[in-house]
Amino acid sequence: MKFIDEIKRRRTFAIVSHPDAGKTTLTEKLLLFGGAIHVAGAVKSNKIKRTATSDFMEIERQRGISVATSVMGFEYNNIKINILDTPGHKDFAEDTYRTLTAVDSVIVVIDAAKGVESQTEKLMNVCRMRNTPVIVFINKLDREGKDPFDLLDEIEEKLKIKVRPLSWPIGIGKSFKGVYNLYEHKLNIFTQADKQIAEKPIELLDLDSKDLDYYVTENSADLLREELNLINGVYSDFILDDYLEAKISPVFFGSALYNFGVKELLDCFINIAPSPTQSKTVERFVSPEEEKFSGFVFKIHANMDPNHRDRLAFVKICSGTFKRNTNYLHIRLGKKLKFSSPTAFMASKKSVIEEAFPGDIVGLHDTGSFKIGDTFTEGEQLHFTGIPNFAPELFRYIDNADPMKSKQLNKGIIQLMDEGVAQLFISTLNGRKIIGTVGALQFEVIQYRLLHEYGAQCRYEPISLYKACWFESDNEEKLSDFKSRKYKFIAKDKFQRHVFLADSAYSLQMAQEKFPEIKFYFTSEV
Ligand code: G4P
C-alpha cells in the first residue's frame, strides 16, 4: 500500500468519560466489531476502583493492566483504528491530558442519567485547547435518564461546544424502542440482548411512512416525527468541515452494554473522523505526509518487572515511516539511537514491528533517559509542542528518610518526574524539594515506587499551598519587584522556569490585581 494511503486509513483517537459512564464497555464493543477480541469482558477496566484508593498492590495491578491496554489497534473495513486508553481515576487526569496530545480526535461518553459530570468538563477543556474534533456518545439509553433535548442543552452549556444530533432516541429506559440514524436515514430497533453482532438497521428514508408506526407504535412514531422536526429547526445541518475544525460535535445515542447504537457510531466515525493531521513544533508545522520520520514521547510507562528498570516510552509518529533498527536522532540528548524491538499494540497484544506510519503509536524500550515531550527525527532539529503541564493543587515537601540512599532518592525522583507522575519544584527560599500533584494518590504512588524500584525512602512534610502557576512579563522591573516581594513563594520547575506558589486563592487574586503587567499561567507546555 502506498505511504499516503497508509496515512489516510488511520484513525487515532481516545474515548474519554467521567468514571462509570461506560468508556470501557464502549471500547470493548468497538474491539468486538474489529474482531480484535471475541468475547465481551476481555478488556479489563484500567480504572482504580474507588474502594482501593490506598491499596498499593491495586495501583500496581492496575498499572500492569493499563500498559496492556494503553493502545488498542485494530482493523475495521480496511481502516486502521488506534484507540488510546486513558486512566479513569481522576488523580491520574494528567496522564489523560497528555494522551490527548497524541490523538487526532476524541469520543466523549456521557451517561444519559447523570448528564455532564465534572471529569468530562475538565477533559473537554483540554480538547478545546487543542481544537480536537469531538463526537459525543450518550450512553445507557436502556435505563431511565434525562430528556434528550435537556441533555443536548446541558452538553452545549457545560462543555461549551455546539452539538448536532446524528441519531435520535425513540423513548428511554423502559420505553426505549431504538434510535433513528439521521446520518444514514435508518431505523434501529432495540432488543434487550447483549449481542455481539448488531441488529440490521431498517432503511427508512420517509419518516411519514406507516412502516415507522408499525415498527415503533403509532404514538412513538408521532413523537419521533415531532422531535425530528424540532431538531431540524433548532440545529443547523451537519457540516463535516465544522466537525473537523472542532466547531460542532455530532451526537449519537445508544447503549454500549447492549451493543446498541455502537455500530452506527463506529461506521460514522471511520467516515468522518480525521486521519493524522499536522503537528506543531517550535520550528514549524510537520505534516504526516513528509517523507522523513518524526515523532514524540507522550507517555512513559515503568516496567512492571522490579528486576529490570527499563521503561516503555510511547511515541506518536507524526511524519514519515518509522523503521526498526534505524538510527534516529533524540533531539534533547543529541544522540542517535536505534531500536531493535519497537512494539506495536494490536488489541491487548504487543508485538515487535518492522515499520509504523503516522498516527501509529510505537513502544520504545528506554533505560531511564527519556522524558515526556522528547522528540525523535531523522536529523532535523524539531521540538514538538503542546504537551501540557497543569498547575498542581496538592503539595508536600519531600525529604530523604534514609541518608545512605540519597543518590537513589534523587535519581528516583527525577525519573518519576520525567515519567510525568508529578511535578517537582525547588523553593528559592530554602532550596527544598516540593512535589506538586493534581491528585492525592500520586503521593502514595511516588513513595511506593521510590521504595520498590529505587530502594529509596522518602518522607513527606505538609506545606500549605493553594496553587502553583507559571508567570512571565515583558516588564523586567515589575518582574523583579514581584519576585523580591514574593520571594518566600517563588520556586523553579524542572526547566528552571519561575513558578509562583500561591498560599491561598486570595493571595493569587491579589498578586494578579497588584501586578497587572505579569501574566499568570495555569498550564505550561513542554
Ligand atoms: P468506565 O470505563 O467509563 O468507568 O465505565 P464502564 O464501562 O466500566 O461502565 C460502568 C458501569 O456501567 C458498568 O457496570 C457497566 O456494565 C455499566 N454500563 C456501561 N454501559 C452501559 C449501558 O449502556 N447500559 C447500562 N445499563 N449499563 C452500562 P458495573 O456494574 O459498575 O460494572 P461491571 O460489574 O458490569 O463491570
Side-chain angles (χ1 to χ4, degrees):
M1 194 180 291
K2 280 204 298 228
F3 172 56
I4 201 88
D5 295 331
E6 286 288 2
I7 300 172
K8 292 269 172 286
R9 73 181 198 101
R10 272 164 170 75
R11 304 282 182 277
T12 302
F13 74 109
I15 304 179
V16 299
S17 76
H18 192 88
D20 280 344
K23 178 172 70 87
T24 312
T25 313
L26 179 64
T27 307
E28 184 169 284
K29 297 297 151 89
L30 295 178
L31 293 177
L32 278 169
F33 279 120
I37 54 169
H38 298 286
V39 282
V43 178
K44 293 281 174 288
S45 161
N46 79 3
K47 64 187 170 184
I48 293 169
K49 298 276 183 212
R50 284 169 298 274
T51 48
T53 47
S54 58
D55 181 342
F56 306 123
M57 287 327 290
E58 180 64 12
I59 295 169
E60 288 302 288
R61 197 180 66 79
Q62 297 291 353
R63 283 180 48 225
I65 290 169
S66 70
V67 77
T69 60
S70 281
V71 183
M72 288 161 282
F74 65 95
E75 300 259 345
Y76 178 75
N77 286 358
N78 202 29
I79 297 287
K80 168 81 191 296
I81 295 178
N82 293 315
I83 306 181
L84 272 53
D85 196 23
T86 54
H89 197 287
K90 72 172 181 16
D91 285 7
F92 293 95
E94 251 201 293
D95 251 16
T96 302
Y97 301 150
R98 281 192 292 263
T99 298
L100 291 181
T101 65
V103 301
D104 299 305
S105 71
V106 155
I107 294 180
V108 174
V109 184
I110 287 171
D111 182 328
K114 295 193 180 139
V116 175
E117 297 171 88
S118 57
Q119 197 58 23
T120 318
E121 283 185 55
K122 288 189 185 150
L123 293 165
M124 264 310 296
N125 288 340
V126 181
C127 294
R128 258 199 318 280
M129 266 166 60
R130 307 183 48 78
N131 270 336
T132 309
V134 168
I135 295 180
V136 177
F137 182 73
I138 300 185
N139 191 27
K140 306 197 186 180
L141 265 284
D142 56 294
R143 283 201 194 153
E144 299 306 320
K146 296 187 181 182
D147 172 78
F149 281 106
D150 290 347
L151 276 168
L152 294 184
D153 287 348
E154 188 180 332
I155 293 170
E156 290 208 326
E157 190 191 320
K158 290 196 178 159
L159 298 185
K160 302 187 189 77
I161 50 174
K162 282 184 71 172
V163 296
R164 194 346 161 162
L166 286 187
S167 80
W168 193 252
I170 306 162
I172 191 164
K174 282 201 191 78
S175 64
F176 183 52
K177 299 211 166 52
V179 293
Y180 182 69
N181 185 337
L182 292 148
Y183 184 65
E184 294 189 327
H185 304 284
K186 284 179 180 161
L187 181 68
N188 235 12
I189 305 291
F190 177 64
T191 47
Q192 268 219 347
D194 178 7
K195 291 214 164 55
Q196 300 222 351
I197 305 294
E199 287 282 325
K200 225 178 155 39
I202 303 154
E203 192 136 348
L204 198 74
L205 290 171
D206 177 15
L207 281 171
D208 289 329
S209 148
K210 281 283 164 216
D211 287 355
L212 183 61
D213 303 56
Y214 166 76
Y215 286 119
V216 300
T217 74
E218 205 179 316
N219 282 350
S220 298
D222 283 343
L223 184 64
L224 177 68
R225 290 182 187 111
E226 208 178 290
E227 291 186 335
L228 291 185
N229 266 337
L230 202 57
I231 288 170
N232 290 329
V234 173
Y235 298 99
S236 44
D237 284 348
F238 174 68
I239 297 168
L240 181 62
D241 282 345
D242 285 351
Y243 156 69
L244 294 174
E245 288 165 22
K247 289 184 188 148
I248 199 144
S249 297
V251 179
F252 287 85
F253 291 84
S255 164
L257 185 64
Y258 290 107
N259 202 7
F260 190 79
V262 178
K263 188 169 181 299
E264 286 69 31
L265 172 74
L266 181 59
D267 286 341
C268 178
F269 171 81
I270 58 166
N271 252 324
I272 68 170
S275 49
T277 42
Q278 59 177 13
S279 324
K280 207 169 157 192
T281 69
V282 174
E283 294 79 8
R284 63 182 183 87
F285 280 101
V286 171
S287 156
E289 294 88 16
E290 289 178 24
E291 215 174 284
K292 294 203 164 138
F293 159 76
S294 68
F296 68 92
V297 177
F298 67 94
K299 175 181 176 129
I300 293 176
H301 211 294
N303 205 309
M304 298 310 297
D305 181 352
N307 298 321
H308 296 97
R309 186 76 57 70
D310 65 335
R311 310 182 294 179
L312 204 57
F314 290 79
V315 173
K316 159 92 185 266
I317 298 175
C318 297
S319 68
T321 308
F322 172 91
K323 293 199 171 87
R324 189 167 87 95
N325 274 332
T326 305
N327 271 314
Y328 292 121
L329 180 65
H330 184 291
I331 300 289
R332 185 176 51 80
L333 300 174
K335 260 202 241 167
K336 291 240 168 163
L337 300 169
K338 66 176 166 190
F339 301 92
S340 58
S341 51
T343 321
F345 308 82
M346 286 305 273
S348 52
K349 285 194 284 293
K350 284 198 296 178
S351 56
V352 172
I353 43 126
E354 290 302 324
E355 56 179 19
F357 300 98
D360 285 342
I361 309 298
V362 288
L364 303 180
H365 286 281
D366 158 39
T367 47
S369 50
F370 295 174
K371 281 187 189 185
I372 302 266
D374 280 353
T375 301
F376 289 95
T377 70
E378 290 193 20
E380 187 180 350
Q381 287 291 324
L382 292 175
H383 299 82
F384 285 95
T385 60
I387 301 190
N389 266 328
F390 284 79
E393 295 181 7
L394 298 168
F395 303 88
R396 289 186 200 168
Y397 281 122
I398 183 164
D399 293 322
N400 187 5
D402 179 355
M404 304 300 288
K405 296 280 170 68
S406 71
K407 241 171 94 183
Q408 285 88 334
L409 184 85
N410 285 335
K411 184 173 177 193
I413 291 177
I414 287 170
Q415 290 198 349
L416 292 182
M417 298 305 125
D418 287 348
E419 247 183 66
V421 177
Q423 293 177 55
L424 177 71
F425 304 106
I426 308 285
S427 162
T428 48
L429 175 70
N430 52 24
R432 287 183 73 182
K433 291 189 176 78
I434 299 167
I435 300 280
T437 70
V438 286
L441 250 183
Q442 264 84 345
F443 291 111
E444 296 171 29
V445 172
I446 292 168
Q447 197 162 34
Y448 179 88
R449 290 190 55 195
L450 282 173
L451 185 63
H452 287 83
E453 291 169 32
Y454 299 89
Q457 287 187 48
C458 76
R459 195 171 38 224
Y460 292 120
E461 196 183 302
I463 170 169
S464 167
L465 290 174
Y466 165 69
K467 206 170 238 182
C469 52
W470 293 266
F471 61 92
E472 64 177 23
S473 174
D474 296 335
N475 189 329
E476 281 301 328
E477 203 181 313
K478 291 285 175 194
L479 202 58
S480 63
D481 182 27
F482 176 73
K483 281 194 265 187
S484 62
R485 276 175 199 236
K486 296 281 178 194
Y487 75 100
K488 281 189 191 160
F489 301 100
I490 305 290
K492 282 190 174 170
D493 72 3
K494 65 177 173 182
F495 299 104
Q496 302 301 312
R497 291 176 300 203
H498 281 107
V499 176
F500 174 45
L501 303 173
D503 57 351
S504 67
Y506 177 73
S507 75
L508 179 59
Q509 191 192 336
M510 290 310 286
Q512 284 169 316
E513 280 173 20
K514 279 194 185 155
F515 293 91
E517 304 82 1
I518 295 179
K519 276 198 202 123
F520 295 89
Y521 299 98
F522 299 95
T523 57
S524 81
E525 283 192 358
V526 177

